[in-house]
Amino acid sequence: MNILRRLSLSRLLLLCALVVAVGVSASALALAVGSGPIPPAKPLAQAVHDALGGPPVEGVSATITLRNHLLEGANLASEDGEAGALADSPLLSGASGRLWIAKDGRGRLELQAEKGDTQILYDGHTLQLYDAATNTLYRYSPSAAERASAEAYDESSSEHHEAPSLAKIEEAIAKISKHANVSGARPSDVAGQPAYSVRISPREGGSLFAGAEVSFDAVHGVPLRAAVYSTNGSAPVIELAATAISYGPVDGSVFSFTPPPDAKIVEPAGGAHGGAGAGERGANRPKVAIHGHGSTAVAVVESHARTESQGGASALPQSLPKVSINGTSASELSTALGTLLTFERSGVRYLVLGSAQAASVEAVARGL
């Protein structure tokens, strides 16, 4: 994870935005249309090259808006405490908030909600998420082995800090274009900054994923907006955008956070604080299989079913609709971007998901 701190901030942020644009992430930044300057028209590779080669950014402070329609229409009964808390989370219901990112890679995202704010913090080592509505702190610290691996990678990559050449960028775009449709760089204005927007969509049909779009600062290379689209409509399903932004050093006190003393702390097993040995973690590691290919692929994750006394819990809220998978009851969550279902059989928990209609995911589950 230290590699994030070795990258320049502008390249780190633009890299994150491009990853979102090709669909490898699930959150996205809502367009703030204003009267700011519009950059000149440029080919995509030139626009990316010029943005990456812009002046260094000492830090970012922004107000942001998150819109999330992913679970609209999902049957999350309000009387189900678990499902109700899920539906009310600002991460899933949308919210306004603030974002800070320091030059060394530290970051903080604050989403404001009526039932309590959600805080996401990263200090270069540990990732934390605090949900005020449930007074719960989720914290993940990489294990010693993970840190050693990251540091070794950092050392091997430490000399590659300059912006890639125009030829390298053109080559990367050509490779992506073999598998996806890549638009040109559309001049725009986001958060009062001159920006370029680019959209990437899958070449093959059949999935619910229609593509992703990202807008980045034409001068500083900082992502200002990202959005994910479904084939079910023209409006973004998930959209995260800066509505105002400023560049400059961020005071270190911004990243200081102390949860309430009575907060519940949840830490994934196997991290820096996990007590399981390497052998036990390996034996319990989930198995993942991919059925199909491309955007229509369906993933199957198999893991040992854990009893309630072992801290096990249903992978989905119990209020969700039930379907029969070869006589076994499964919980199913259908969203604008795909379907996820889970069930247990013979001591094994199955999680089946894909960017497809429910019938396609159910068909894979019935073939297990």
Side-chain angles (χ1 to χ4, degrees), residues 54-136:
V57 176
E58 297 298 318
V60 171
S61 300
T63 57
I64 59 95
T65 299
L66 169 67
R67 295 189 176 94
N68 192 335
H69 305 289
L70 184 64
L71 295 183
E72 284 186 358
N75 185 17
L76 295 177
S78 59
E79 62 270 13
D80 185 324
E82 178 186 3
L86 179 67
D88 291 338
S89 168
L91 286 171
L92 294 178
S93 61
S96 297
R98 296 178 293 177
L99 170 70
W100 300 270
I101 300 179
K103 185 178 182 179
D104 61 7
R106 288 176 297 166
R108 178 173 182 171
L109 172 64
E110 177 184 281
L111 295 174
Q112 299 156 354
E114 182 178 347
K115 294 186 178 181
D117 295 353
T118 292
Q119 308 275 350
I120 301 176
L121 303 101
Y122 176 66
D123 64 3
H125 299 283
T126 301
L127 181 67
Q128 300 184 90
L129 186 154
Y130 176 69
D131 179 21
T134 60
N135 194 25
T136 302

Side-chain angles (χ1 to χ4, degrees), residues 28-346:
L29 287 173
L31 178 61
V33 178
S35 56
I38 304 294
K42 295 181 180 180
L44 176 58
Q46 188 69 58
V48 172
H49 178 267
D50 292 350
L52 290 176
V57 176
E58 297 298 318
V60 171
S61 300
T63 57
I64 59 95
T65 299
L66 169 67
R67 295 189 176 94
N68 192 335
H69 305 289
L70 184 64
L71 295 183
E72 284 186 358
N75 185 17
L76 295 177
S78 59
E79 62 270 13
D80 185 324
E82 178 186 3
L86 179 67
D88 291 338
S89 168
L91 286 171
L92 294 178
S93 61
S96 297
R98 296 178 293 177
L99 170 70
W100 300 270
I101 300 179
K103 185 178 182 179
D104 61 7
R106 288 176 297 166
R108 178 173 182 171
L109 172 64
E110 177 184 281
L111 295 174
Q112 299 156 354
E114 182 178 347
K115 294 186 178 181
D117 295 353
T118 292
Q119 308 275 350
I120 301 176
L121 303 101
Y122 176 66
D123 64 3
H125 299 283
T126 301
L127 181 67
Q128 300 184 90
L129 186 154
Y130 176 69
D131 179 21
T134 60
N135 194 25
T136 302
L137 176 69
Y138 300 90
R139 182 166 59 200
Y140 177 75
S141 298
S143 65
E146 290 171 326
R147 290 197 302 271
S149 176
E151 290 170 0
Y153 182 80
D154 291 349
E155 292 177 0
S156 66
S157 307
S158 59
E159 297 181 359
H160 305 285
H161 289 172
E162 295 184 1
S165 66
L166 181 60
K168 288 292 185 182
I169 295 173
E170 290 174 336
E171 181 182 349
I173 293 174
K175 288 181 179 180
I176 295 174
S177 297
K178 293 179 180 179
H179 308 284
N181 298 309
V182 182
S183 75
R186 186 178 73 252
S188 59
D189 159 33
V190 182
Q193 306 296 320
Y196 292 105
S197 298
V198 59
R199 182 160 179 167
I200 301 180
S201 57
R203 285 188 176 277
E204 61 179 339
S207 78
L208 293 177
F209 175 67
E213 189 172 86
V214 63
S215 302
F216 56 93
D217 190 308
V219 177
H220 300 95
V222 173
L224 301 172
R225 171 186 178 264
V228 179
Y229 295 82
S230 167
T231 55
N232 288 334
S234 59
V237 176
I238 304 173
E239 189 178 38
L240 177 65
T243 55
I245 190 169
S246 61
Y247 302 113
V250 180
D251 193 297
S253 62
V254 168
F255 306 106
S256 299
F257 176 75
T258 303
D262 61 341
K264 177 183 178 182
I265 297 179
V266 178
E267 295 181 300
H273 303 286
E280 182 180 347
R281 291 196 302 271
N284 294 327
R285 184 170 297 168
K287 294 189 299 182
V288 180
I290 304 298
H291 296 252
H293 65 278
S295 60
T296 59
V298 174
V300 177
V301 182
E302 297 182 30
S303 59
H304 291 291
R306 302 177 66 191
T307 65
E308 187 174 346
S309 62
Q310 294 175 315
S314 174
L316 294 176
Q318 293 301 309
S319 61
L320 287 173
K322 301 296 186 292
V323 297
S324 177
I325 302 297
N326 300 333
T328 299
S329 178
S331 296
E332 183 174 78
L333 174 62
S334 296
T335 75
L337 291 175
T339 305
L340 184 154
L341 66 83
T342 182
F343 61 94
E344 289 184 17
R345 185 175 62 201
S346 302

Side-chain angles (χ1 to χ4, degrees), residues 346-363:
S346 302
V348 177
R349 172 170 290 282
Y350 295 88
L351 186 65
V352 189
L353 65 159
S355 181
Q357 299 287 353
S360 298
V361 175
E362 291 170 12

